[in-house]
Amino acid sequence: MNILVVEDERNLADAIVQILKGGGFNAEAAYDGNAGLSSALSGMYDAVVMDVMLPGKDGVQIVHELRHEGNSVPVLMLTARTSTSDKVEALDAGADDYMTKPFEDAELLARLRALTRRQGDVVIDEVSFADLTLDLATHDLSCNDNSVHLSGKEFEVLKMLMGSTARVVSKQDLLVRVWGTDGEASENSVEAYISFLRKKLGHIHSKVQITTLRMLGYRLEEFDLPRE
Amino acid sequence: MLERLKRKFMVIVMTLVGTVLASVLGLMYYSSFTTQANLVKESLNRGLEGSLSPLPVIGSEGARVGGMLTVVVEVSEKGVILQTSESPAYISGPVLARVIDDALTQGVTSERIGDLHVVWKSAVTDQGNIRIAIVDTTIADRALTSLLLNAIVVMAASLSILFAVASFLSNWAISPIARAWEQQRRFVADASHELKTPLSVILANSQILARDDRIPEDDARWVESTVDEAQHMKNLVNDLLELAKAEEGTDGLGSALSSEEVDFSNLVESAALEFDPVAFERGCSIETSIEPGLKVKGDPEWLERLAKILIDNACKYARTQSVVRVRLRRSSRHVQLSVNNQGAPIAREDLPHIFDRFYRSERARSRTNGDEGGFGLGLAIAKGVAEACGGGIAAESDEASGTTFTVTF
């Protein structure tokens, strides 16, 4: 994978290139808008990371021109500006994604991987059960139009439950898989998180409930009757 | 904030001038009133002493005072008219009859008959008859009434003009303040913005080093602490920019925040649910009491931020094993959100300052993990958002009930 980095702040451009290399990509930098545009048009790159504020042409203009020329290379815009209108402007001009500076290296790499995924690659990015959909990337749980965000452990617990809908998942299994060998956790923790999940399921008005089977564990079940 | 200042200014000016004006006009009226009353009294008394019909003599001393129309009659105990004064004033039959009747039967020696504009006073003569002096107060009454009406009209007109002038003045007085605030906000936003690029480089570089296996264990900790501090700075810079944006809405200079009807009940409940695990890990728990369907007009993203800041704060400072209470209810025209936690109270001298930016109390704990200790920008942002959405925020804290933050819309 070849990535083009267009950023006028040299130190930053070089650091981004280094991060990309560390993440398994090949990368090169262009330090101004015009050089960036011609490199992008060359077709040598699988994706472009572009700063919005560039001397000469600004990032949004460049993307606009790229698309005008019929070039559909995926573009990730990078910028210090955070307002919604800036985001909308960039995405409308043809960018595929938008990230703000300063950024976490892991996030940059994850987004680029998402952009460069070849069409046809099967990617499992969500799990469903009855009226519930769990987004594996964002950790959001939704039921029709309602959604709620799950924390790390809540997500792991629900993912386990949704992955074993035919079987019962025991407290012990949950404890080991989600909390690992962390000596701090106990069955109390599992019970607490199950109760948090139940509250959230109620909040999004899902018909699914987490049923407790004494001595055995937990199981997701769908109910058509109104919840108590 | 500036609107409140303007209103205060106008109220003070109007009250001050209004009070002065009212006092002056009031005094004038009062003095006229007293003068007239004295004139009447004197006329009555003169009528009761002296001869029945003294002729008015222009230019002589001791002449009748004031030109008040006076008539004097003498009646027997039974009401038979014995004598009446003659010119320059006459009195109509019915009025005289009424006066005599009152004088003999009412048991008072003086009376004012308002609707007839007449005042009378009686005295017993040496011969056992009753002498009654009757004064016509029409002119006096009319003068006073007109004075009162004029006073009212003057008052109303001056206050209206004053209102217009005060309004103009208050705008003129406030505008340098508004400008200074705008500049300060602009500066904070610009400075934070400028910091972002070098910070991006530092963060990126230190993250590269953190993943470099060739760095020996002993040195790795320096890299890690650099990454931590760079991330801390990133959060601070983002908070500063958030704060600048949130405050844009409070001085009426236009704002980046959108304004729509938000289902606040749903939002608060969502936020509370998100903090369940956080609270659990910190050893406390969250209890909610939310009236459903309460709506607030404002920006949904920012309102969510507000709720989360307060709940996060409460969980941070809650005593272990205690309960954080989140309550949302409607009271008359307001929607009120209150978040309470049990635990060490905020010192009374700190309480008025906690919404200041980066406030550090005298007894703040030193920054150990994350940003405990010092109040950071969270509460300042919360206040900015509350005010931008047309509401307010207040805090109470004591040993017994812990700390409670209340936001009212």
Side-chain angles (χ1 to χ4, degrees):
Chain A
M1 288 281 153
N2 291 324
I3 314 288
L4 173 66
V5 178
V6 185
E7 163 66 65
D8 63 312
E9 179 68 43
R10 281 183 184 237
N11 283 334
L12 187 55
D14 294 343
I16 296 177
V17 166
Q18 186 61 26
I19 289 176
L20 293 178
K21 285 189 179 157
F25 295 101
N26 274 339
E28 264 157 34
Y31 302 115
D32 73 74
N34 293 313
L37 180 57
S38 33
S39 298
L41 283 170
S42 70
M44 286 191 334
Y45 298 98
D46 300 292
V48 180
V49 176
M50 171 126 57
D51 183 24
V52 167
M53 316 233 265
L54 292 167
K57 296 196 157 81
D58 86 34
V60 179
Q61 247 182 308
I62 296 179
V63 177
H64 198 77
E65 275 183 46
L66 259 183
R67 299 304 181 224
H68 192 72
E69 297 286 332
N71 189 312
S72 57
V73 66
V75 173
L76 171 69
M77 302 288 280
L78 200 59
T79 183
R81 296 210 224 130
T82 51
S83 82
T84 316
S85 55
D86 291 316
K87 278 187 212 166
V88 169
E89 199 193 346
L91 293 171
D92 278 349
D96 298 89
D97 199 358
Y98 191 100
M99 232 173 74
T100 53
K101 296 193 252 191
F103 54 85
E104 301 285 324
D105 56 355
E107 192 184 348
L108 176 65
L109 291 173
R111 284 182 189 257
L112 268 177
R113 281 196 292 272
L115 276 185
T116 55
R117 212 169 271 142
R118 278 184 287 258
Q119 300 246 335
D121 275 1
V122 172
V123 176
I124 305 170
D125 55 1
E126 62 181 40
V127 187
S128 308
F129 174 71
D131 55 10
L132 286 179
T133 307
L134 179 61
D135 186 322
L136 298 177
T138 62
H139 292 204
D140 284 335
L141 178 65
S142 26
C143 167
N144 305 320
D145 289 331
N146 306 310
S147 81
V148 69
H149 180 80
L150 298 185
S151 72
K153 293 202 171 63
E154 286 173 326
F155 171 76
E156 296 294 334
V157 171
L158 190 62
K159 200 165 94 166
M160 268 193 84
L161 286 173
M162 284 176 92
S164 325
T165 46
R167 307 184 291 106
V168 174
V169 181
S170 72
K171 266 191 209 168
Q172 202 49 36
D173 281 344
L174 284 171
L175 200 51
V176 169
R177 291 273 294 275
V178 177
W179 276 266
T181 46
D182 184 355
E184 299 263 334
S186 70
E187 296 206 338
N188 260 342
S189 311
V190 178
E191 284 163 19
Y193 277 81
I194 293 286
S195 98
F196 299 154
L197 281 173
R198 285 186 170 130
K199 271 164 86 173
K200 290 184 164 71
L201 286 175
H203 180 67
I204 55 177
H205 306 300
S206 168
K207 294 203 190 105
V208 176
Q209 287 186 39
I210 303 177
T211 322
T212 307
L213 294 139
R214 298 212 67 182
M215 307 302 241
L216 292 172
Y218 302 103
R219 182 171 60 196
L220 286 180
E221 287 181 7
E222 185 183 5
F223 282 80
D224 279 319
L225 301 167
R227 297 171 65 88
E228 274 167 67
Chain B
M1 173 69 97
L2 284 180
E3 283 301 313
R4 240 181 281 181
L5 213 58
K6 256 197 261 184
R7 236 177 292 148
K8 246 198 245 184
F9 178 81
M10 291 203 32
V11 165
I12 291 178
V13 168
M14 300 275 296
T15 314
L16 212 58
V17 175
T19 312
V20 168
L21 207 56
S23 315
V24 165
L25 290 171
L27 267 159
M28 274 182 57
Y29 181 83
Y30 180 71
S31 99
S32 295
F33 182 83
T34 329
T35 312
Q36 297 288 10
N38 285 338
L39 280 178
V40 169
K41 212 158 80 165
E42 285 219 33
S43 300
L44 285 171
N45 288 336
R46 276 189 195 279
L48 287 178
E49 300 151 16
S51 81
L52 215 48
S53 310
L55 287 169
V57 180
I58 296 178
S60 86
E61 284 195 40
R64 289 225 293 245
V65 171
M68 304 219 83
L69 297 174
T70 318
V71 161
V72 188
V73 296
E74 259 190 36
V75 295
S76 73
E77 283 181 359
K78 303 261 174 62
V80 178
I81 298 178
L82 302 168
Q83 285 188 73
T84 44
S85 65
E86 288 160 11
S87 61
Y90 297 97
I91 188 168
S92 83
V95 177
L96 184 60
R98 162 87 185 269
V99 171
I100 294 174
D101 187 55
D102 284 355
L104 294 176
T105 58
Q106 297 287 12
V108 290
T109 53
S110 176
E111 193 192 9
R112 156 186 270 281
I113 305 179
D115 43 334
L116 296 174
H117 295 288
V118 154
V119 181
W120 59 260
K121 190 170 178 188
S122 66
V124 182
T125 61
D126 307 327
Q127 292 95 28
N129 295 323
I130 306 190
R131 205 179 209 198
I132 312 174
I134 309 171
V135 169
D136 169 84
T137 57
T138 317
I139 296 184
D141 290 344
R142 224 184 286 171
L144 278 179
T145 313
S146 121
L147 184 60
L148 183 63
L149 266 134
N150 283 340
I152 292 175
V153 170
V154 166
M155 230 358 223
S158 331
L159 283 179
S160 317
I161 298 178
L162 181 63
F163 185 82
V165 172
S167 181
F168 173 74
L169 274 182
S170 73
N171 276 324
W172 175 79
I174 295 295
S175 71
I177 303 180
R179 252 199 316 271
W181 278 14
E182 165 78 17
Q183 277 177 339
Q184 184 219 52
R185 258 196 307 101
R186 183 101 304 154
F187 172 69
V188 168
D190 290 345
S192 310
H193 202 82
E194 287 300 314
L195 284 171
K196 281 189 154 192
T197 302
L199 191 48
S200 310
V201 181
I202 294 173
L203 188 56
N205 288 350
S206 52
Q207 285 183 328
I208 290 172
L209 287 177
R211 295 190 193 276
D212 194 335
D213 304 318
R214 295 167 300 176
I215 295 180
E217 278 277 333
D218 294 341
D219 295 334
R221 58 179 285 213
W222 305 117
V223 177
E224 264 165 45
S225 75
T226 307
V227 172
D228 281 346
E229 295 300 327
Q231 280 171 334
H232 186 80
M233 262 185 81
K234 174 182 98 155
N235 291 332
L236 268 176
V237 164
N238 284 330
D239 281 353
L240 277 172
L241 283 169
E242 257 193 359
L243 183 59
K245 242 209 251 174
E247 289 189 338
E248 249 178 67
T250 63
D251 34 47
L253 293 171
S255 154
L257 277 66
S258 70
S259 184
E260 49 193 88
E261 276 254 307
V262 174
D263 184 343
F264 200 46
S265 304
N266 200 7
L267 199 146
V268 172
E269 184 159 346
S270 245
L273 284 177
E274 274 193 46
F275 276 88
D276 272 334
V278 173
F280 180 75
E281 300 300 336
R282 287 197 188 142
C284 56
S285 64
I286 300 179
E287 189 191 278
T288 61
S289 162
I290 298 176
E291 255 178 53
L294 292 182
K295 305 238 192 301
V296 169
K297 201 140 185 262
D299 186 306
E301 262 179 62
W302 287 98
L303 286 170
E304 190 181 350
R305 185 95 169 90
L306 168 63
K308 286 187 180 167
I309 288 174
L310 292 181
I311 300 176
D312 187 19
N313 209 284
C315 291
K316 229 187 253 186
Y317 292 102
R319 201 171 34 226
T320 40
Q321 304 299 322
S322 69
V323 175
V324 168
R325 290 201 169 76
V326 178
R327 263 194 196 84
L328 181 67
R329 37 185 60 117
R330 183 206 299 283
S331 67
S332 58
R333 299 188 306 130
H334 301 295
V335 171
Q336 217 174 54
L337 166 68
S338 71
V339 178
N340 165 273
N341 68 275
Q342 304 285 324
I346 301 175
R348 203 169 333 133
E349 58 261 20
D350 291 337
L351 212 47
H353 300 292
I354 48 172
F355 296 109
D356 293 348
R357 308 161 194 188
F358 299 123
Y359 180 70
R360 258 186 162 72
S361 81
E362 297 284 302
R363 322 142 174 226
R365 305 194 283 273
S366 62
R367 192 162 67 83
T368 44
N369 28 325
D371 33 30
E372 313 268 18
F375 295 97
L377 282 178
L379 290 174
I381 294 177
K383 180 163 184 253
V385 175
E387 291 180 0
C389 296
I393 189 169
E396 286 160 350
S397 183
D398 60 61
E399 195 65 55
S401 39
T403 308
T404 310
F405 284 93
T406 310
V407 181
T408 314
F409 290 104

